[in-house]
Amino acid sequence: MAETEGPKTNYSLDCGWGRLVFGQTFENGKTLIETLRRERADARDIAVYVDDPHVLLSLAPHELFLDPSHTFRIDLGSDRNGDPKPSNFFIRRLSSHSDAEEVNRIYRTRGMVPVPPEFFWSHRDARALTYFVAEDDQTGAIIGTVTGVDHLQAFGDPERGSSLWCLAVDPQARQSGIGQSLVHRLAGHFAERNAAYMDLTVLHNNESAIALYEKLGFRRVSYFTVKRKNAINEQLFSGPEKDHGLNPYAKIIVDEARRRGIQVEVTDAEGGFFQLSYGGRTVQCRESLTEFTSAIAMSICDDKSVTRRVVEKAGVRVPSQITTKAPDDKIKQFLDDHSALVVKPARGEQGRGITVGVKSQDELEKAITAARKVADEVLIEEMVEGSDLRLVMINYKLVAAAIRKPAQIVGDGESTVETLIEHQSRRRSAATGGESRIPLDEDTRATCLAGGYDMTDVLPDGKTLQVRKTANLHTGGTIHDVTGEVHPTLVDAAVRTARAINIPVTGIDFMVKSPRGPDYAFIEANERPGLANHEPQPTAERFIDLLFPLSMPYAAREALRASQSELPA
């Protein structure tokens, strides 16, 4: 659009996830409100640059609310801080349908509204909208994204403004500085277009983001944002968090229950205990563990040696194993017979007391000592090479599958190993509500040393270093969805495992060469699997379906009934 055409009036811009409604283009509040009332059911519209927001809210107090975000601005005509050079990733335009799908994946992990992939694709050359992505230069994975709006191109803005939206970084990305580089790239892009400034909004309590923007030269400006009261925005206008203290694994279930009108009573937030009531039925829960799981099933899962015996009888492949109850000479022979071992307590969870890759008698003794701090009985198992696959089974059906990878860091040529671990740990903690952290303990130090680096060494630029041997989420491991790729043999083995234990909700762990192949070895079954972090798979939805089938939407119940009627007798 040429500047001589003049500004448009009553202007809104469709961004896929909703519309940006530019308040400065509206002559009166009533017209703006009517525009917001046309918001799609699955979208979130945002009215920005609203003059006299208190007056606007008085016209529709039950429909609108003042968004609790600050607006920040950077002047693009003045000298800005030097743009940092991305390390081990690069910034480019969104250029393919797969890029769009990866951007949506990142949006979902951040609780953002996804965009129809065809919208991205059809607007990839639009002048008003600009999409940048950050790509890992080793793996080709999309690890961050940002959207920019050129106000001059959009509605002929006489102020020649621009704005930043949807900045999101993959919480499992190994590199640092991704968000900062995306912001710099977008600012540089708009500066080249002779934009005068770039604005963004950030929640008032997002202290880390505000600190970053201020570091980059942004200053706070007094502009206001108004949104409609809808399910997507509920947490912004409904007041303080009702379930303060619930971890992400409990909260994902509670939120889904409330969406369906199921009554929730949190009985112990710290422990993840709550009860759900619907249609005359009340179910006690601790995260994904319910009274539907029997004490017998829990006992089987609690003792890994018992679990192994039960699933082996069901025809599930298990690795060779011996316990510390065996004579010393048999334990020594077991070590000699296998190239590497895994030592773990017979009872325990979250990876505590597990040592992977034991190869010598000295290492074995240390590993047994560490495991005995968690449980008296210790299991010694052959180490099966491969990837750690978690299969979430609900009602004896596969709902989600993910490869779990041990925590890794990537060097930037300047920071020490310890500094990089701390940075990665903060990101993982922020992304999981404090559930995932990389401990700076002896296991981490030993793993780093095995990789050739001490904690005080500077990791070379681009060098990837594994810092934990186990892939547990609680110790910084990352999780990568492979639900659509799992080989039928693995699904069948997981179903047989769940039925052998007779447990309706479980997380089955296999060691696999590839999720697309039939080879596997059973590791363990978890009676309280975490349902969070499996986006975009509907883990919480299927969990609530199991507990309260009548709470399913009518269309979903009909589809389920139809699918079951098609099964062979």
Side-chain angles (χ1 to χ4, degrees), residues 119 122 210 241 278 290 482 502:
F119 182 92
S122 63
I210 290 173
E241 175 63 57
Y278 183 84
T290 75
V482 294
N502 195 23

Side-chain angles (χ1 to χ4, degrees), residues 327-549:
D328 291 344
D329 60 330
K330 287 194 174 183
I331 293 176
K332 183 179 184 304
Q333 185 60 50
F334 192 83
L335 175 63
D336 293 338
D337 290 343
H338 298 90
S339 57
L341 302 176
V342 176
V343 177
K344 55 189 178 184
R347 290 180 168 85
E349 58 183 4
Q350 299 180 358
R352 289 191 290 265
I354 297 177
T355 304
V356 177
V358 173
K359 296 182 178 181
S360 68
Q361 186 64 37
D362 183 56
E363 290 177 348
L364 179 58
E365 291 173 0
K366 289 181 179 178
I368 291 172
T369 300
R372 279 184 171 146
K373 293 179 181 178
V374 179
D376 292 335
E377 185 178 2
V378 176
L379 309 179
I380 304 169
E381 194 172 86
E382 69 165 313
M383 190 176 105
V384 180
E385 296 289 348
S387 299
D388 188 329
L389 176 67
R390 162 62 62 92
L391 299 155
V392 177
M393 309 296 294
I394 298 177
N395 202 16
Y396 307 102
K397 297 181 180 66
L398 176 67
V399 175
I403 290 292
R404 301 189 299 176
K405 298 181 180 179
Q408 296 178 332
I409 56 174
V410 179
D412 58 11
E414 299 177 359
S415 305
T416 66
V417 168
E418 184 171 358
T419 299
L420 291 170
I421 290 174
E422 289 174 341
H423 178 88
Q424 178 76 340
S425 186
R426 284 195 299 270
R427 175 185 288 168
R428 296 294 299 130
S429 179
T432 60
E435 291 297 308
S436 181
R437 295 185 179 90
I438 306 174
L440 286 172
D441 59 13
E442 188 56 40
D443 285 346
T444 299
R445 293 185 180 89
T447 305
C448 292
L449 285 173
Y453 293 90
D454 190 52
M455 301 294 280
T456 57
D457 292 339
V458 172
L459 196 61
D461 186 37
K463 173 67 177 179
T464 297
L465 179 66
Q466 183 174 316
V467 299
R468 297 289 295 189
K469 289 184 177 179
T470 59
N472 296 79
L473 184 71
H474 289 83
T475 54
T478 57
I479 187 165
H480 308 265
D481 181 69
V482 294
T483 307
E485 308 172 29
V486 180
H487 193 279
T489 297
L490 306 183
V491 178
D492 176 68
V495 171
R496 280 187 281 123
T497 297
R499 290 201 177 278
I501 300 171
N502 195 23
I503 186 168
V505 180
T506 182
I508 308 294
D509 293 339
F510 290 157
M511 193 63 67
V512 300
K513 293 180 179 178
S514 167
R516 295 179 290 277
D519 296 326
Y520 74 93
F522 171 82
I523 302 301
E524 65 180 27
N526 192 314
E527 76 279 3
R528 184 162 49 101
L531 301 186
N533 309 308
H534 282 280
E535 297 87 355
Q537 306 308 325
T539 52
E541 291 94 322
R542 298 295 84 80
F543 179 79
I544 296 296
D545 291 348
L546 171 68
L547 270 55
F548 303 102

Side-chain angles (χ1 to χ4, degrees), residues 12-22 35-36 38-47 107 112-116 119-120 123 129 131 147 149 165-166 230 232-233:
S12 60
L13 176 67
D14 188 359
C15 296
W17 41 261
R19 297 172 300 166
L20 283 176
V21 181
F22 289 89
T35 300
L36 288 174
R38 293 195 294 271
E39 178 184 68
R40 299 196 316 268
D42 60 344
R44 174 170 60 181
D45 290 352
I46 303 175
Y107 283 174
M112 299 163 66
V113 180
V115 175
F119 182 92
F120 282 121
H123 289 74
L129 286 166
Y131 301 105
T147 301
V149 176
W165 300 92
C166 300
N230 58 30
I232 297 173
N233 294 323

Side-chain angles (χ1 to χ4, degrees), residues 230-269:
N230 58 30
I232 297 173
N233 294 323
E234 183 178 0
Q235 61 181 338
L236 300 176
F237 65 80
S238 60
E241 175 63 57
K242 299 176 184 176
D243 306 315
H244 181 71
L246 280 180
N247 64 37
Y249 309 110
K251 193 172 186 306
I252 189 175
I253 298 170
V254 165
D255 288 348
E256 176 61 22
R258 287 200 169 115
R259 275 194 290 270
R260 300 197 193 184
I262 296 170
Q263 182 180 346
V264 177
E265 180 182 346
V266 178
T267 51
D268 184 70

